[in-house]
Amino acid sequence: MQLLIEGELRQFVPIKNFRQQFDLPDAFGISMFEPKDYTGLGQIDSAGPELNVVRRAVLDAIPTEMPLQEWLAYLPHLTRLFESKLHEVNPEIGLKQVEVEFAVSGFQNICQGLIYAMIQARAAGEPMPEFQRVYADWLNSTVRISSTVHSYVHKGETWAVQIVNTAYGRNGLIVWTEAQTHYLHDSSLACPAEGFMQTLLNEVATRILLATDAAPPETANG
């Protein structure tokens, strides 16, 4: 996993590798410093059939052909459909209203970011953007480092630890040992919706790009 931390792209290594390197207990991770409250959380990880209803409805609503300049006007409709379908299946999932709103906001922001990147690429005569770059830019825009600095004593050394948050919750740590700074990926408390959202948005982006390519040249170019 790579995240932009204070202006620099950092590679986050799996936390199990760090534990092995320093002979740390399995408990060393985000939950040791900032445990998660599971009270009232939705069951996204066991809601495959319900989420597939959302996925199918959204993908079916994407036109097979659409000129580039029309996507920004169409996006609100697609976002409302995503929100409506999410509410429709939510009794089986149990997401809180704020969680639904966050998912809808992420959906809209990423799709909008893709369309703007497509418009810029078309204007510059460059290839259309790749979804992963657009997605990474969005995810990096949501990175927040916890203001709390935790202490951890290991073999006589006192380390400083901060938790890294993204749109999907806590999924990383920054550990300052006496020798160097380590960036660690710990997905144990990350939102289980991350995989679904990334996969869905990848499919949506692919269809938007294909539909734009399929639009008649004279229409697509205005």
Side-chain angles (χ1 to χ4, degrees):
M1 179 180 77
Q2 289 186 324
L3 290 175
L4 198 64
I5 303 295
E6 296 180 342
E8 292 192 36
L9 199 61
R10 301 292 187 180
Q11 182 69 42
F12 281 66
V13 302
I15 193 166
K16 65 178 182 179
N17 295 2
F18 184 76
R19 291 181 187 133
Q20 292 172 356
Q21 179 183 352
F22 288 92
D23 192 26
L24 294 166
D26 291 342
F28 184 89
I30 292 175
S31 59
M32 173 179 282
F33 303 101
E34 296 183 12
K36 186 172 185 176
D37 180 8
Y38 289 91
T39 305
L41 291 182
Q43 301 298 315
I44 292 180
D45 50 345
S46 60
E50 290 80 10
L51 292 176
N52 196 50
V53 170
V54 178
R55 171 184 170 273
R56 189 73 267 155
V58 170
L59 295 180
D60 287 348
I62 298 175
T64 55
E65 294 183 12
M66 181 170 284
L68 177 56
Q69 67 269 23
E70 294 182 16
W71 279 112
L72 286 176
Y74 187 75
L75 180 57
H77 164 73
L78 199 61
T79 302
R80 285 193 298 271
L81 176 65
F82 173 70
E83 182 176 16
S84 173
K85 289 298 178 180
L86 203 53
H87 278 296
E88 184 179 304
V89 303
N90 198 38
E92 302 298 325
I93 302 175
L95 293 175
K96 297 177 182 178
Q97 179 59 28
V98 66
E99 293 172 320
V100 172
E101 291 173 357
F102 200 85
V104 172
S105 174
F107 180 91
Q108 181 173 18
N109 289 340
I110 294 169
C111 289
Q112 186 170 280
L114 172 70
I115 295 167
Y116 279 134
M118 291 169 65
I119 292 172
Q120 292 171 353
R122 174 71 61 82
E126 298 174 349
M128 285 296 173
E130 295 182 356
F131 166 75
Q132 288 301 333
R133 179 177 65 80
V134 174
Y135 184 83
D137 287 345
W138 169 79
L139 189 62
N140 280 320
S141 75
T142 72
V143 171
R144 300 291 182 272
I145 300 174
S146 175
S147 59
T148 303
V149 180
H150 304 275
S151 295
Y152 184 79
V153 178
H154 179 67
K155 296 182 178 179
E157 290 187 9
T158 299
W159 297 348
V161 179
Q162 281 183 289
I163 306 302
V164 178
N165 301 266
T166 68
Y168 298 111
R170 291 162 282 180
N171 61 2
L173 304 92
I174 303 176
V175 179
W176 287 271
T177 66
E178 292 186 1
Q180 67 182 103
T181 304
H182 300 265
Y183 299 87
L184 312 176
H185 180 211
D186 179 4
S187 61
S188 60
L189 298 186
C191 175
E194 180 174 5
F196 167 74
M197 288 296 293
Q198 185 172 4
T199 300
L200 172 63
L201 286 160
N202 192 6
E203 291 181 293
V204 168
T206 298
R207 295 203 179 198
I208 289 176
L209 288 163
L210 289 173
T212 303
D213 284 342
E218 64 275 14
T219 304
N221 292 329

